[in-house]
Amino acid sequence: MSTHLLYLGPLRPETVSLLEPLSSTEQALFVMPSESSEQWKEVQTAFPNATQQVMRVAETSGEKPYYEFNLPEFNASQPATGLYQLYPGLELIESNPQPLVSVEKLLSELENPHVNTLVVEQPELVWPLLQALAALPISKQINRIWFRLGSVPLYQGMPAAKEILSWCQEQGFELKATHDEDPDLPLLQLSRHPFYNRWQDEAEHSAALAEQLKAAQAAIETSQAEHQTLSAQHEQLQQRYEALQAQQAEQAAQQTALQEKLAEQQALQITMEQLHKDINKKFEEQHGFIKDAANALGQHITRRTAD
């Protein structure tokens, strides 16, 4: 597979020599803070397809101080701290504002995005570059990283080497070699495990499945809660239905009793009407008898008076 190399920082002859096995690269981009024609000729000898770009890179873009020392290979976008401990003869010459380009902008504007080998010769840019790289799609295709770190943080804002290496391990990188031509500032060579991306994809897939399972479990719990609520409502309705049925049965019994009582009253009324008729008939018969008796008595009296 062809190698696409991105080199960031000052040219170091010892580093170029170490990278010579990668010289079959289709494209190698060297981003350097200053131009060096003699050293660039050495690079072109090792990397015939290499191109250079003079650019001062920092964590963020803008007109910011750029720190230049009496040892130009340590020029940086951050003030030195632990670097003075490793190199007591180091002196700051100037720190004038310079137009700086952020690592994020550099990575996002690469003409050839198929970079798989990254070399960082500016220690203060190692951590911001790794962080910016992790947020970009090209992070998955990076399989080799070379960078310089000291035993102590060399510039302001740098985390400890242990923290940087731990983060790299989490991203699947393994330390393959330590090139200590400069024992105070070794060049670390890391390679990513060939199955890391597959593991990462499987982990993301597993995480997605876990989220789906979690959502399904939440849906089941919601459904169960709804079912329990519906069951409780059904039980309440059933109790109300049974109560209504009992009330209806009681009302039906009362209605039957009322109907029976009405029937009794109707029968009694009929009896009373018949009795009333009989009484009226008796009265009429008695009245006729009295009338007949009165007539007979009147006739008898009349006859006796005539005699």
Side-chain angles (χ1 to χ4, degrees):
M1 182 178 63
S2 298
T3 300
H4 297 266
L5 171 70
L6 173 61
Y7 183 108
L8 179 62
L11 289 177
R12 288 176 177 260
E14 63 272 23
T15 302
V16 175
S17 298
L18 290 172
L19 296 176
E20 283 185 1
L22 307 177
S23 60
S24 60
T25 176
E26 288 184 5
Q27 182 176 2
L29 174 61
F30 286 74
V31 180
M32 303 172 295
S34 59
E35 189 173 359
S36 176
S37 58
E38 291 300 323
Q39 289 183 338
W40 181 243
K41 289 178 182 179
E42 295 179 10
V43 171
Q44 288 182 310
T45 300
F47 296 89
N49 298 320
T51 58
Q52 68 171 322
Q53 187 172 357
V54 178
M55 178 188 300
R56 292 184 173 179
V57 183
E59 183 174 356
T60 57
S61 297
E63 288 282 337
K64 300 177 183 298
Y66 189 77
Y67 300 87
E68 300 186 36
F69 300 92
N70 57 333
L71 299 176
E73 63 268 27
F74 296 128
N75 292 351
S77 58
Q78 293 291 341
T81 54
L83 194 62
Y84 290 113
Q85 300 176 26
L86 299 182
Y87 302 94
L90 186 70
E91 295 181 3
L92 177 66
I93 298 176
E94 60 182 5
S95 57
N96 296 327
Q98 301 286 337
L100 305 181
V101 178
S102 69
V103 290
E104 183 179 1
K105 182 177 177 62
L106 171 66
L107 292 173
S108 62
E109 293 183 354
L110 287 176
E111 293 184 2
N112 189 337
H114 304 292
V115 173
N116 53 32
T117 301
L118 183 64
V119 181
V120 187
E121 280 287 359
Q122 283 186 241
E124 90 279 9
L125 295 182
V126 172
W127 184 245
L129 185 66
L130 292 176
Q131 297 301 298
L133 185 66
L136 296 175
I138 64 172
S139 62
K140 287 189 175 183
Q141 66 197 34
I142 299 292
N143 52 40
R144 286 185 292 260
I145 298 179
W146 305 55
F147 52 73
R148 291 193 181 274
L149 288 178
S151 57
V152 295
L154 306 177
Y155 296 90
Q156 181 177 299
M158 280 189 65
K162 182 179 179 180
E163 182 179 348
I164 295 176
L165 289 173
S166 176
W167 185 90
C168 290
Q169 289 176 352
E170 292 176 359
Q171 303 302 311
F173 288 96
E174 301 171 333
L175 182 61
K176 293 298 184 181
T178 300
H179 304 281
D180 53 1
E181 291 80 2
D182 184 347
D184 294 320
L185 195 61
L187 180 66
L188 306 183
Q189 178 182 348
L190 295 85
S191 295
R192 176 173 271 169
H193 194 285
F195 296 123
Y196 172 77
N197 288 332
R198 182 184 300 178
W199 293 337
Q200 195 72 7
D201 292 340
E202 291 178 355
E204 291 176 359
H205 181 63
S206 298
L209 290 178
E211 287 296 325
Q212 293 177 6
L213 177 60
K214 184 178 179 181
Q217 289 175 337
I220 291 173
E221 291 175 359
T222 301
S223 178
Q224 289 176 341
E226 292 176 350
H227 177 72
Q228 291 176 354
T229 301
L230 291 174
S231 297
Q233 292 177 350
H234 175 73
E235 185 176 353
Q236 292 176 357
L237 291 174
Q238 183 68 25
Q239 292 175 354
R240 290 179 61 186
Y241 175 72
E242 292 174 355
L244 289 173
Q245 281 188 321
Q247 184 179 1
Q248 185 178 9
E250 182 180 355
Q251 290 176 348
Q254 292 176 355
Q255 185 177 5
T256 300
L258 289 173
Q259 288 177 343
E260 292 175 352
K261 188 174 183 180
L262 177 62
E264 292 176 359
Q265 290 178 349
Q266 289 177 342
L268 180 60
Q269 183 178 359
I270 292 172
T271 302
M272 293 294 293
E273 289 177 353
Q274 186 62 42
L275 180 61
H276 183 68
K277 288 179 181 180
D278 292 343
I279 291 173
N280 287 338
K281 184 176 180 181
K282 293 293 183 181
F283 280 157
E284 289 177 356
E285 291 176 352
Q286 186 177 11
H287 181 70
F289 176 76
I290 293 173
K291 185 177 179 181
D292 292 342
N295 290 334
L297 181 59
Q299 292 177 359
H300 177 71
I301 294 175
T302 301
R303 283 197 300 271
R304 288 193 64 176
T305 304
D307 291 341

